[in-house]
Amino acid sequence: MTADDLAEGVRLVVALLRGADAAADWERPAGTLEWSCWETAEHLADDLFSYAAQLGPQSPPAEGFVPFVYRREGPGKPASVVFAQREAGPQGLLQVLEACGALLVAMVRTARPQDRAFHGFGTADAEGCAAMGLVELFVHAEDLALGLGLDWTAPAGISARVLARLFPGTPTGTAPWPTLLWATGRGELPGHERPAEWRWYSAPRA
């Protein structure tokens, strides 16, 4: 995975969401999530920001996240550092998303080979952070597309590289995007039972 892969993912998802109808209801649920489309887009921006922030310290925490203050706006809402001003509307929300994506792209592009970012699924290198960011982008784009009435298909090439980096042991010989949806609990894959729980493996691979 490269910074260029990540930059392309950010570009595609922001372009998708900018294509939403001006009258689209961003308070509708995002796909099967309990969160609204607005909250899901904020959560996505926060994910990208958080992965960038984890790569930043010269001596990153080995057993936890950089201690930003996270807050929830209500029970069951996502815990986040990043929120968008409601009065800025959907276009302002997408500027926040694009800016957080650019931060992660920059950190992946400039990180040293030895830099690491804590994550509960495996402390990651820059390549792992890029792959994690792409999972967040692509699967939450699916959630948002369902909520906003958009058509979305993630690019096969990048999806295949994400699967190879984060999801060892996933089925081969199947289309990469449906396989990524299946691996993240969001879709069916003929001949394969949907995982009861899912996770990725973000630690550097030998």
Side-chain angles (χ1 to χ4, degrees):
M1 305 306 309
T2 68
D4 288 343
D5 289 329
L6 180 60
E8 177 66 0
V10 172
R11 184 191 70 79
L12 289 170
V13 172
V14 171
L16 168 77
L17 298 177
R18 282 194 173 133
D21 189 279
D25 183 3
W26 286 76
E27 296 307 314
R28 285 176 52 85
T32 60
L33 302 181
E34 296 181 0
W35 303 334
S36 70
C37 290
W38 183 282
E39 291 164 344
T40 301
E42 280 185 329
H43 167 76
L44 173 53
D46 189 80
D47 283 336
L48 300 175
F49 167 82
S50 296
Y51 298 154
Q54 288 300 118
L55 273 174
Q58 293 293 303
S59 299
E63 297 182 356
F65 295 104
V66 176
F68 291 100
V69 174
Y70 288 81
R71 66 179 175 87
R72 298 182 190 272
E73 295 200 317
K77 304 299 185 183
S80 298
V81 174
V82 173
F83 296 89
Q85 295 177 0
R86 290 280 180 161
E87 57 269 26
Q91 293 307 310
L93 173 63
L94 297 183
Q95 287 176 348
V96 170
L97 174 59
E98 189 172 29
C100 290
L103 289 174
L104 182 54
V105 170
M107 289 305 300
V108 170
R109 202 179 297 283
T110 58
R112 303 167 300 172
Q114 67 268 31
D115 287 340
R116 295 291 182 268
F118 172 83
H119 194 280
F121 288 169
T123 294
D125 56 5
E127 181 186 58
C129 288
M132 292 189 299
L134 283 160
V135 173
E136 304 286 4
L137 282 159
F138 288 173
V139 301
H140 285 313
E142 174 77 1
D143 300 329
L144 288 160
L146 290 171
L148 297 170
L150 302 169
D151 292 324
W152 165 247
T153 301
I158 299 178
S159 297
R161 292 194 288 280
V162 167
L163 287 166
R165 177 60 180 80
L166 294 181
F167 297 94
T170 51
T172 58
T174 55
W177 173 228
T179 305
L180 183 56
L181 287 174
W182 173 85
T184 56
R186 282 173 168 79
E188 304 296 335
L189 202 60
H192 300 278
E193 185 176 350
R194 182 187 291 198
E197 296 182 349
W198 68 270
R199 60 160 292 174
W200 60 53
Y201 295 83
S202 45
R205 306 280 292 279

